[in-house]
């Protein structure tokens, strides 16, 4: 009986903790017109408007310019500040894992090899405290992406202020994610000093399996009497209504991806990671393949790489005319997704024009996701998903948000982290 009482006490304590630290109530729908006046507006397409007027109503932007007579409704004086479109975190597992050490909170992957029918969206936890912590840095939307297997599953696009996944989704089932076979692998564990690269003897066979699977999916007729959930999920890849995101890094593997795209006559293909994509940039451009480049805050993968290769990859690819956006997968990806603007800031520090670096986490990302008509820039008719910052949002010192809106809704910028910051700042001030 004593153990039962202890167990009940733990459950009550845990429940109380979760209640105290629960996400804020999502903001209500926009009911009055809002005008942001006086800010420097970073449009997201490399344009900048000084002393701007940004007006939005019913969740949509209705005016962007300098004519102050267009301001109406509730006016926000943003003189000396900056207004940006909401940043978009692609290839993220936000909301799919809350605590890595607790298996019951981990929904980022499933058992199996070919899993196009696995939809990350239905496992998305809109009330995740990790998701909530994105907003104070201006990361207001994300592509929620499954992992694991050869085909991981289907991603969806969400906004980060909702009760549940149904309310959060802004584009459902946007892309299939394929982990391309590796031509080489490294022996031993990461801490071994004598690790060597070994050739994957089954590489060609693994590619053949992928090609055969895609051909069978293309031949499948949706709605067939004998329904195949896997092939049903692949519908849309071959007419371009759904994207194919191929996770690949090596030069040879990327060349094989280009050949695969041509062989399967695929319209929308994006490389994710793309560490050696700069070596075949001309071929990527010629074949209309975009790149979600790995996070810039990484060390080089190889001893003979330039020390700053990860920092300058965005410039190398964009200078070659490739459509480039930034993603943040890797160790502690979910927590580090809040650093997305600073990845762009690093790209700017290593040669990318500052406004183009901004575009790599806004409009370019929206284009790759097939959502450029709805999000990604401050333009009339698009969602009023934007924020006001005291300074340069791509700089840690200037990224200080004073207001943020998702689809016109005035959202909270408070999180568990900001609460702790205020609590302990006051403690040490006293």
């Amino acid at each position: 009986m004593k153990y039962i009482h202890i167990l009940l006490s733990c459950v009550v304590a845990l429940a109380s903790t979760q209640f105290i630290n629960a996400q804020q109530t999502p903001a209500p729908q926009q009911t009055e017109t809002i005008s942001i006046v006086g800010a420097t507006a970073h449009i997201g397409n490399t344009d900048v408007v000084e002393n701007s007027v940004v007006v939005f109503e019913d969740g949509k932007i209705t005016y962007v310019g300098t004519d102050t007579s267009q301001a109406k409704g509730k006016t926000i004086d943003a003189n000396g500040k900056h207004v940006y479109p909401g940043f978009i975190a692609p290839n993220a597992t936000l909301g799919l894992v809350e605590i890595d050490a607790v298996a019951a909170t981990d929904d980022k992957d499933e058992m199996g090899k070919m899993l196009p029918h696995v939809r990350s969206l239905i496992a998305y936890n809109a009330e995740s405290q990790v998701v909530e912590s994105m907003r104070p840095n201006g990361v207001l939307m994300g592509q929620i992406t499954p992992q694991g297997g050869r085909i991981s599953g289907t991603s969806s696009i969400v906004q980060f202020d909702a009760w549940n996944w149904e309310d959060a989704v802004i584009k459902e089932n946007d892309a299939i994610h394929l982990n391309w076979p590796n031509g080489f692998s490294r022996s031993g564990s990461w801490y071994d000093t004598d690790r060597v690269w070994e050739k994957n003897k089954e590489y060609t066979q693994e590619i053949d399996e992928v090609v055969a699977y895609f051909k069978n999916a293309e031949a499948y007729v949706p709605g067939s009497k004998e329904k195949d959930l896997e092939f049903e999920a692949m519908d849309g890849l071959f007419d371009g209504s759904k994207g194919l995101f191929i996770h690949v890094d090596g030069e040879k593997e990327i060349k094989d991806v280009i050949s695969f795209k041509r062989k399967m006559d695929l319209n929308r293909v994006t490389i994710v990671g793309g560490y050696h994509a700069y070596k075949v940039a001309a071929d990527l451009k010629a074949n209309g393949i975009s790149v979600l480049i790995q996070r810039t805050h990484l060390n080089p993968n190889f001893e003979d790489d330039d020390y700053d290769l990860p920092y300058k990859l965005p410039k190398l690819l964009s200078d070659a005319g490739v459509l480039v956006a930034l993603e943040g997968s890797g160790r502690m990806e979910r927590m580090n997704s809040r650093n997305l603007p600073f990845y762009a800031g690093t790209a700017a520090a290593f040669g990318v024009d500052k406004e183009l670096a901004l575009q790599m986490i806004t409009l370019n990302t929206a284009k790759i996701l097939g959502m450029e008509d709805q999000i990604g820039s401050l333009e009339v008719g698009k969602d009023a998903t934007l924020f006001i910052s005291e300074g340069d949002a791509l700089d840690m010192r200037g990224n200080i948000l004073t207001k943020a809106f998702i689809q016109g809704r005035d959202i909270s910028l408070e999180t568990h982290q900001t609460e702790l910051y205020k609590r302990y700042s006051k403690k040490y001030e006293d």
Side-chain angles (χ1 to χ4, degrees):
M1 184 64 71
K2 177 176 69 174
Y3 296 111
I4 293 176
H5 288 162
I6 293 174
L7 178 61
L8 287 173
S9 298
C10 290
V11 170
V12 171
L14 179 61
S16 300
T17 301
Q18 293 300 312
F19 179 77
I20 292 171
N21 294 327
Q23 184 193 41
Q24 294 88 14
T25 301
Q29 296 297 316
Q30 181 182 5
T31 56
E32 62 176 329
T33 302
I34 297 175
S35 300
I36 301 173
V37 179
T40 298
H42 302 264
I43 304 303
N45 60 2
T46 72
D47 290 344
V48 178
V49 179
E50 302 288 349
N51 298 315
S52 67
V53 177
V54 179
V55 184
F56 52 98
E57 52 188 310
D58 297 325
K60 297 291 183 179
I61 297 173
T62 56
Y63 178 79
V64 178
T66 57
D67 184 357
T68 55
S69 68
Q70 295 291 328
K72 55 183 177 180
K74 178 182 178 181
T75 300
I76 298 175
D77 182 1
N79 187 44
K81 298 180 181 179
H82 300 257
V83 59
Y84 294 87
F87 301 150
I88 310 165
N91 187 39
T93 56
L94 289 163
L96 299 183
V97 183
E98 195 68 11
I99 305 171
D100 289 275
V102 180
T105 72
D106 188 338
D107 288 313
K108 69 179 183 296
D109 58 18
E110 298 291 341
M111 295 178 63
K113 190 173 183 179
M114 301 296 191
L115 304 168
H117 56 303
V118 169
R119 300 169 62 235
S120 61
L121 181 62
I122 61 173
Y124 175 69
N125 176 20
E127 296 189 80
S128 165
Q129 289 187 358
V130 183
V131 170
E132 181 183 81
S133 70
M134 301 298 114
R135 302 194 306 239
N137 278 10
V139 182
L140 306 181
M141 297 164 285
Q143 180 195 40
I144 309 306
T145 305
Q147 296 180 347
R150 178 65 67 212
I151 297 179
S152 303
T154 303
S155 58
S156 294
I157 319 300
V158 301
Q159 49 85 6
F160 294 152
D161 184 61
W163 283 117
N164 48 53
W165 67 262
E166 291 96 333
D167 294 341
V169 65
I170 52 179
K171 185 175 183 179
E172 191 169 350
N173 304 332
D174 74 291
I176 297 288
H177 291 258
L178 166 65
N179 295 304
W180 194 257
N182 290 317
F184 296 85
S185 61
R186 208 166 185 180
S187 64
S189 301
W190 65 269
Y191 50 78
D192 292 336
T193 58
D194 57 348
R195 299 174 69 194
V196 297
W197 287 96
E198 299 176 344
K199 185 175 181 179
N200 178 7
K201 298 178 181 179
E202 298 180 353
Y203 178 67
T204 301
Q205 178 184 339
E206 291 171 350
I207 292 179
D208 289 343
E209 290 176 355
V210 172
V211 171
Y213 190 86
F214 270 70
K215 285 184 175 179
N216 288 335
E218 185 178 22
Y220 175 78
V221 178
S224 297
K225 184 176 181 180
E226 295 185 7
K227 190 170 185 177
D228 188 306
L229 293 179
E230 294 181 16
F231 291 160
E232 289 275 349
M234 299 280 280
D235 184 40
L237 281 182
F238 306 101
D239 64 11
S241 59
K242 186 177 291 184
L244 177 63
F245 285 57
I246 303 179
H247 300 244
V248 60
D249 283 308
E251 179 182 3
K252 171 177 170 47
E253 290 87 342
I254 294 173
K255 289 181 178 179
D256 290 336
V257 165
I258 295 172
S259 297
F260 171 73
K261 177 189 184 296
R262 290 200 296 258
K263 179 183 293 186
M264 298 306 306
D265 193 25
L266 297 167
N267 294 314
R268 291 179 52 208
V269 173
T270 297
I271 283 177
V272 181
Y275 185 78
H276 281 147
Y278 71 98
K279 294 184 177 182
V280 291
D283 288 339
L284 292 173
K285 179 186 177 183
N287 286 275
I289 298 176
S290 54
V291 178
L292 282 179
I293 202 72
Q294 63 169 42
R295 72 169 74 163
T296 54
H297 293 180
L298 287 176
N299 294 324
N301 287 352
F302 301 93
E303 293 179 356
D304 56 350
D305 286 338
D306 291 348
Y307 80 93
D308 58 354
L309 180 58
Y311 310 148
K312 63 185 182 183
L313 279 175
K315 178 173 174 57
L316 293 174
L317 284 165
S318 62
D319 283 354
V322 178
L323 177 61
V324 178
L326 305 183
E327 58 104 13
S329 60
R331 297 183 64 187
M332 295 189 69
E333 166 259 315
R334 286 172 294 284
M335 294 71 177
N336 280 319
S337 291
R338 66 172 69 95
N339 290 327
L340 182 65
F342 312 135
Y343 300 156
T346 297
F350 281 79
V352 178
D353 177 79
K354 177 63 73 69
E355 296 303 317
L356 178 57
L358 169 67
Q359 188 172 325
M360 290 180 180
I361 57 174
T362 54
L363 186 57
N364 280 9
T365 308
K367 288 179 179 179
I368 290 173
L369 300 179
M371 299 194 67
E372 66 271 27
D373 292 336
Q374 183 176 350
I375 59 175
S377 59
L378 302 177
E379 297 181 87
V380 173
K382 292 192 177 184
D383 286 356
T385 299
L386 50 89
F387 64 88
I388 303 170
S389 175
E390 290 189 4
D392 181 356
L394 305 191
D395 188 316
M396 291 183 183
R397 297 165 298 180
N399 186 298
I400 304 173
L401 272 64
T402 57
K403 277 284 186 182
F405 302 86
I406 291 179
Q407 296 170 336
R409 297 179 296 109
D410 188 353
I411 68 169
S412 170
L413 293 174
E414 292 297 322
T415 71
H416 183 50
Q417 285 81 0
T418 60
E419 291 174 3
L420 291 175
Y421 167 76
K422 292 175 182 178
R423 175 183 178 184
Y424 287 102
S425 293
K426 184 176 181 181
K427 172 182 178 181
Y428 290 110
E429 285 176 359
D430 296 340

